[in-house]
Each structure stands twice: as structure tokens, then as C-alpha cells.
Amino acid sequence: DQQVKQNSPSLSVQEGRISILNCDYTNSMFDYFLWYKKYPAEGPTFLISISSIKDKNEDGRFTVFLNKSAKHLSLHIVPSQPGDSAVYFCAASGTGGFKTIFGAGTRLFVKA
Amino acid sequence: EPEVTQTPSHQVTQMGQEVILRCVPISNHLYFYWYRQILGQKVEFLVSFYNNEISEKSEIFDDQFSVERPDGSNFTLKIRSTKLEDSAMYFCASSALWGNTEAFFGQGTRLTVV
């Protein structure tokens, strides 16, 4: 069951540059998308979300873009900082659904 | 800041034994979830719980699993007869609403079945 896909298992970026993490989904019933960040030995921490009625949501250094026709979303982090190094999970849910489906995660390395 | 707490942080159990993983969700949240992450794999949904009953469950959540909210604060996941493949990080989460909202996760319980 690969309803939410993160095809890049890892990404390495220089400090100060932009990090772009990508996510694709297959279920057209999804209408709410989230990004979670996870450090080792901790639970996922909510980062940012976007509803399907929007195509962009911004919170400080983090921006999520949604392309519904392509069933694609991306998370932009700019400028990237070493503390951003973590695993980032894309997740999706549908209205009325009681579960959130997670992607496999992308490990981001931000080099100082 | 309110947080979801899970105990124990690490549980080692013999195959075939029963385990109970405990969670205290955020106090004013109404929706509760269990997820698991097998080492190196994705975070997988197990079950959601609302109003003292299961709202939704995945195919992973078979008859060996059960959930309970025995009192006003705890939310537990019981695995009746553990198998080696149950070894994973188990995350509890809670949310104030359902649908378009984020869930808050606990730190996880690492279950090791030997």
C-alpha cells in the first residue's frame, strides 16, 4: 500500500541553501496533507500542513506547495540550518477519515 | 506545552507473551491513535479510537491487538501473543479534532520480542 510516496530516501544540502523535499500521492480522496519531522529516538513532530483548497502554505522558513492535478506536494526549507537535519515524513488524510497515511520518509542532512 | 507521554520507553518480551503499551494523550484531545514503525520502514497506521470505540483500523491490527481507554487519561495497546515481527517502535498520538488536523505524537515505545 503505497498511497503516499517519498521517492528520495535521503537529501544532502549545504547550510543556507534551499532544501526541497518531494512527495507524491495516489489517492484522490486525500484532502489534507502534513509534514512531520522526526529525530532519532523521538516521535514525529508536526511541522506544517496544507488543505487541498490551497496550493501554498508558509510558516517561517517552511513552505509547502500542493499541486493537486499532479498529486504532488513539496516542502521547501529556506534557509536550511544544521538543526533541520532529521527525517521528514509526508502524510495525508481524507475528510471523514480517522487515519493519516505516512510516506516512507526522507532523511535530510544539512551540512555546516 | 502539553505532550503525549508513553511508557515504557523500551519493552523486551518473550515471544508468545502479552504486552501492554501505555499512553497518556493530551488532556483535552478526543481522538487517539496507535502507529508503529518497524526499523528502517515507514510509520504505519494501526488504529484510531474515539468515544470509547475503534473508529478505524488497518489490516495490521488483527485479533491479537486490542485498545482500551480504561480511565479518563490512559490509552493502552495490548498485544496478546507477541511474535518476533511485532518488534517495532510503537507511537501513540492524539488530536483534538478529526479530519483536517494534526496529531501529536508521543516519544514511542520500543518493543523488542525475543
Side-chain angles (χ1 to χ4, degrees):
Chain A
D1 179 356
Q2 292 233 32
Q3 297 187 67
V4 179
K5 301 178 201 176
Q6 292 177 259
N7 291 321
S8 299
S10 66
L11 173 69
S12 186
V13 170
Q14 198 68 36
E15 181 180 9
R17 307 295 285 266
I18 185 171
S19 296
I20 300 177
L21 298 105
N22 292 304
C23 177
D24 297 292
Y25 62 96
T26 56
N27 189 339
S28 56
M29 298 301 290
F30 288 145
D31 61 1
Y32 191 69
F33 305 91
L34 311 95
W35 284 94
Y36 283 85
K37 177 178 176 180
K38 186 179 181 303
Y39 293 116
E42 293 185 13
T45 303
F46 170 73
L47 199 56
I48 192 169
S49 63
I50 188 166
S51 164
S52 60
I53 62 173
K54 293 185 167 185
D55 55 17
K56 177 182 173 181
N57 189 26
E58 194 170 351
D59 183 2
R61 297 185 296 114
F62 303 91
T63 304
V64 55
F65 295 92
L66 175 64
N67 182 334
K68 279 175 57 182
S69 60
K71 292 193 177 70
H72 176 84
L73 63 153
S74 61
L75 174 68
H76 293 211
I77 307 173
V78 56
S80 302
Q81 298 172 354
D84 295 330
S85 297
V87 178
Y88 289 79
F89 290 98
C90 172
S93 64
T95 301
F98 288 96
K99 65 181 180 186
T100 301
I101 305 297
F102 282 75
T106 296
R107 185 177 296 277
L108 174 66
F109 299 94
V110 180
K111 298 174 287 189
Chain B
E1 186 174 318
E3 58 181 17
V4 176
T5 56
Q6 290 185 243
T7 54
S9 56
H10 190 188
Q11 172 95 47
V12 182
T13 188
Q14 296 243 326
M15 192 168 53
Q17 294 296 304
E18 175 183 287
V19 293
I20 298 176
L21 310 183
R22 301 178 194 280
C23 169
V24 179
I26 293 173
S27 63
N28 62 344
H29 284 185
L30 301 175
Y31 299 86
F32 314 111
Y33 315 87
W34 283 100
Y35 288 81
R36 79 172 185 192
Q37 185 181 27
I38 295 171
L39 186 64
Q41 298 186 25
K42 61 166 57 179
V43 175
E44 300 174 293
F45 169 78
L46 292 178
V47 66
S48 57
F49 191 85
Y50 168 69
N51 200 26
N52 282 318
E53 59 184 30
I54 290 174
S55 308
E56 193 161 354
K57 60 183 181 180
S58 72
E59 60 277 4
I60 302 168
F61 194 87
D62 61 21
D63 291 344
Q64 69 163 337
F65 291 93
S66 62
V67 288
E68 195 177 36
R69 189 156 161 82
D71 53 44
S73 60
N74 291 284
F75 179 50
T76 61
L77 174 69
K78 183 192 291 186
I79 309 175
R80 266 181 264 285
S81 177
T82 49
K83 308 190 208 64
L84 294 176
E85 54 265 36
D86 293 329
S87 296
M89 282 291 286
Y90 287 80
F91 294 106
C92 172
S94 69
S95 64
L97 306 169
W98 60 270
N100 295 354
T101 189
E102 68 272 19
F104 293 82
F105 283 76
Q107 300 282 72
T109 293
R110 179 172 297 284
L111 176 65
T112 303
V113 182
V114 297

